[in-house]
Amino acid sequence: MAIGLVFASSRLTDFDEVIGSIVRIEVGAGVLAPAPTTPAQVSESGDVLVPVAADPQAPRNFLLIGTDSAIGLDPDDPAAQRDHPEGFALADVIMLARVDPGMGRIHLISIPRDLYLPIYSEGVPLREEKLASSLMVGGLEQGAPTLVETISTNFNVPIHNFAVVDFYGFEQIVDLVGGVNMCFETAMRDPASQFFMTTAGCHTLDGPTALAYVRSRKMEAVVDGWWRRVGASNDMERNQRQQDFMILMLEKMVDQGISTLLTNTDLIETAAGMVVFDERITLGELMDLGQSFVDIEPDHVIQH
């Protein structure tokens, strides 16, 4: 979803009209890694000139956070059935995206949400908890920065920026691009997430159906006439499905023509309304990224 917003940012006029609607999260000092800057240069006198400008071609790491917030969903939507109060959310998807404009590549790696790790806030380990709970440990204002700090500290990986999306925004963007086509070798289902694909073949998944698919942790398939569990049914398999779905969505955008999608004001407004960014990333940086990846192909997104 953040990648879609980056594409949309290449249309300055429309994007500028909705940029004010994007919610920004204040981040404490030291949580985010310093922004990549242009290489230092040496003058004729031998003095090193300190870089002061961000380097638009330098790689940077985005943490993409999908929350299980049910705000905005129809009460009958299976994803709206949460076991925690409205206004609080867990991290349902945690994905690190290394964006490399210079090479024209995006690398994706998913981090299992159920890892037990020390939760860090302001440099202090608070307690060991599931990684997904970092959002609740940090509270309404500092949940995302707490998750960022926890990941960067435990895994020693610099995170330059982050973006947060929720269930409702995911469903909206899938519907706005006309759904995403997926092919199944057999009937598939997950009663827990309410995903039901009763026939084999290729189907177009709308927003709610796509959400049920990427949330599935207990996928079943028809084998020899019986419903049987697929694989080990764990977070690793779900992470793979989520990445695969992102690639298919990107293919859909490429097939439709990204330039055509960028004329869709509804899509731009929805993307802006569904994404929460850190306060540090600027409109100019988003535009630079949008220009770098406007012609991206699906095979330029590498899964890990």
Side-chain angles (χ1 to χ4, degrees), residues 108-292:
L108 296 177
I109 183 170
S110 297
I111 302 175
R113 65 192 295 271
D114 287 340
L115 289 177
Y116 268 87
L117 296 169
I119 306 299
Y120 280 84
S121 179
E122 298 181 351
V124 178
L126 301 179
R127 62 177 184 267
E128 285 202 2
E129 185 62 84
K130 283 186 178 181
L131 186 58
S133 300
S134 298
L135 294 183
M136 297 185 75
V137 172
L140 291 175
E141 297 297 327
Q142 288 299 310
T146 298
L147 178 58
V148 169
E149 185 175 352
T150 296
I151 291 174
S152 61
T153 302
N154 282 287
F155 297 107
N156 193 29
V157 57
I159 296 174
H160 301 99
N161 301 101
F162 64 83
V164 185
V165 297
D166 61 17
F167 284 169
Y168 181 60
F170 177 87
E171 289 187 357
Q172 280 192 306
I173 200 72
V174 171
D175 285 337
L176 278 172
V177 300
V180 174
N181 193 55
M182 296 196 71
C183 297
F184 301 88
E185 295 181 359
T186 181
M188 307 283 290
R189 74 177 187 183
D190 181 350
S193 72
Q194 294 294 290
F195 175 76
F196 297 99
M197 192 57 58
T198 57
T199 59
C202 296
H203 304 268
T204 299
L205 276 57
D206 62 10
T209 305
L211 180 60
Y213 175 78
V214 299
R215 292 182 60 231
S216 172
R217 302 178 75 179
K218 300 177 180 178
M219 190 67 75
E220 298 177 347
V222 174
V223 180
D224 297 329
W226 297 89
W227 287 106
R228 300 187 185 278
R229 190 71 62 84
V230 176
S233 301
N234 56 28
D235 262 351
M236 302 303 291
E237 293 174 352
R238 190 176 76 149
N239 291 343
Q240 184 65 49
R241 281 194 291 271
Q242 291 166 353
Q243 291 191 17
D244 291 344
F245 185 85
M246 286 185 64
I247 300 299
L248 290 173
M249 179 178 284
L250 182 57
E251 289 179 351
K252 178 67 176 287
M253 296 177 71
V254 170
D255 290 342
Q256 290 186 357
I258 291 175
S259 60
T260 301
L261 291 174
L262 296 182
T263 64
N264 187 331
T265 302
D266 289 338
L267 179 61
I268 295 173
E269 291 179 350
T270 298
M274 63 178 259
V275 177
V276 177
F277 276 114
D278 63 271
E279 62 175 351
R280 197 173 69 181
I281 194 165
T282 67
L283 174 59
E285 289 171 327
L286 285 172
M287 287 184 61
D288 287 338
L289 289 173
Q291 292 293 342
S292 297

